Amino acid sequence: MRSQSLTRRDLLDAVVVVLLWGVNFVVMKFALRDFTPLQLGAARYVFAVLPLALFVRPPGIPWKWVVLYGLFQGVGQFGFLFLALQIGMTAALASVILQTQVFFTALFGFVLLKERASRPLQLGMLLAGLGLSCFAINYLLPGARGAATVAGTTLAGFMLTLAAAAMWSASNIVARRVQQGGADYSPTAFVVWSSSVAVLPFVLLSLAFDPESTRWQWTGARASSWLAVAYLGWVATLVGYSLWTGLLKRHPANRVAPFSLGVPIVGLTAGMLVLGEGITPWQWGGVALVVAALVCV
């Protein structure tokens, strides 16, 4: 049933998601030391599916929603994000830029679900646009472009991270459409079975595009990389997205999405402290504007 107010349980769920997903970006960087982005995508979702798929029944909703959620949230969001982190995006900045999904969600929610954007949300979208402009300046101005490259980001990495944010917002809309249909389903079952959708596309894409020399490199992966995959599959995906989907089940998308405000704070801190990542002045401006935009919401 649709709820208008947030309970203590909802707030606790949101805090747990923030912590899990904030650390998530550093964990991805560790895993990408031994896996290609497509291999990591396949491994993440194999862990997310097994062994729970053996014990959890499929959710009682039309399979088209399960497939769409798996493609948007799995193949789309994390396919783009893993590739971005490999070719030119830091964990710290990815945690910020990915939160523009809040505003993609509001835009898609207005177009597809007729959820009207409030004035604070409209102001937030304006500030977010200015923030993205600050990020873009790093790649447009000659002097700033060199600094951005030194800081570990590229224009391609930036654009791929934005694409990942758009895919995340699309999965939010799918979850909301399921809720609007009045279906009574288990968020955990929804996440487990939608995760199974992502495995085969990642495997096929890896076979098609990964260099042949990398096909068997997973056999020599370090234990820390496998632990990172386990975290991504079991903790960040099963626990994180089950809680997130549960929130979307109980509340409108534009009410839930802003709780991701805390993710960039955790992600920035973890990226700089654990990985020693740097941020340029223009990027700090973009961070400040995006966070201000989220605060407005």
Side-chain angles (χ1 to χ4, degrees):
M1 179 179 296
R2 187 172 183 170
S3 174
Q4 295 299 321
S5 60
L6 296 166
T7 66
R8 291 183 179 180
R9 173 196 166 186
D10 293 329
L11 294 175
L12 178 60
D13 287 353
V15 170
V16 171
V17 171
V18 165
L19 294 175
L20 295 182
W21 286 352
V23 175
N24 200 30
F25 297 91
V26 171
V27 176
M28 292 175 194
K29 281 286 192 179
F30 280 116
L32 286 169
R33 297 177 303 173
D34 290 325
F35 300 98
T36 69
L38 297 174
Q39 289 171 343
L40 180 57
R44 173 188 180 127
Y45 286 102
V46 167
F47 272 71
V49 170
L50 298 176
L52 279 184
L54 302 176
F55 307 100
V56 177
R57 294 182 178 181
I61 59 176
W63 276 99
K64 66 177 181 179
W65 300 123
V66 177
V67 171
L68 283 175
Y69 191 85
L71 292 177
F72 285 135
Q73 186 269 333
V75 182
Q77 179 185 344
F78 287 100
F80 285 131
L81 180 58
F82 291 160
L83 186 57
L85 289 170
Q86 185 187 61
I87 70 173
M89 179 54 58
T90 61
L93 287 180
S95 69
V96 176
I97 298 172
L98 199 63
Q99 302 318 310
T100 57
Q101 60 87 12
V102 172
F103 307 105
F104 283 114
T105 298
L107 178 61
F108 294 163
F110 173 75
V111 174
L112 300 175
L113 304 180
K114 309 306 180 184
E115 294 180 351
R116 298 187 62 84
S118 63
R119 288 188 178 180
L121 180 55
Q122 293 174 20
L123 176 59
M125 294 177 74
L126 174 62
L127 291 175
L130 293 174
L132 293 178
S133 299
C134 288
F135 288 120
I137 287 175
N138 284 277
Y139 316 106
L140 299 177
L141 297 181
R145 184 166 60 243
T149 302
V150 171
T153 71
T154 63
L155 178 59
F158 172 66
M159 297 303 295
L160 285 168
T161 308
L162 281 180
M167 291 296 100
W168 184 0
S169 67
S171 72
N172 287 341
I173 298 302
V174 171
R176 291 291 298 136
R177 286 297 299 270
V178 174
Q179 187 277 334
Q180 284 187 339
D184 185 16
Y185 64 96
S186 164
T188 299
F190 183 56
V191 171
V192 169
W193 285 93
S194 64
S195 294
S196 69
V197 174
V199 175
L200 182 59
F202 270 125
V203 170
L204 294 177
L205 288 169
S206 177
L207 291 174
F209 296 107
D210 281 341
E212 194 169 335
S213 59
T214 66
R215 296 279 172 83
W216 297 98
Q217 69 181 21
W218 56 269
T219 59
R222 286 163 280 196
S224 59
S225 294
W226 282 112
L227 287 174
V229 172
Y231 178 92
L232 295 174
W234 289 334
V235 180
T237 300
L238 289 181
V239 177
Y241 278 94
S242 292
L243 295 177
W244 183 257
T245 305
L247 288 169
L248 286 170
K249 179 183 175 182
R250 298 188 294 273
H251 303 283
N254 58 8
R255 184 186 296 270
V256 173
F259 279 99
S260 58
L261 168 64
V263 174
I265 297 174
V266 177
L268 278 168
T269 304
M272 290 188 292
L273 293 181
V274 178
L275 300 178
E277 294 175 339
I279 300 177
T280 70
W282 279 109
Q283 289 169 344
W284 273 121
V287 168
L289 285 167
V290 169
V291 171
L294 293 169
V295 171
C296 280
V297 180

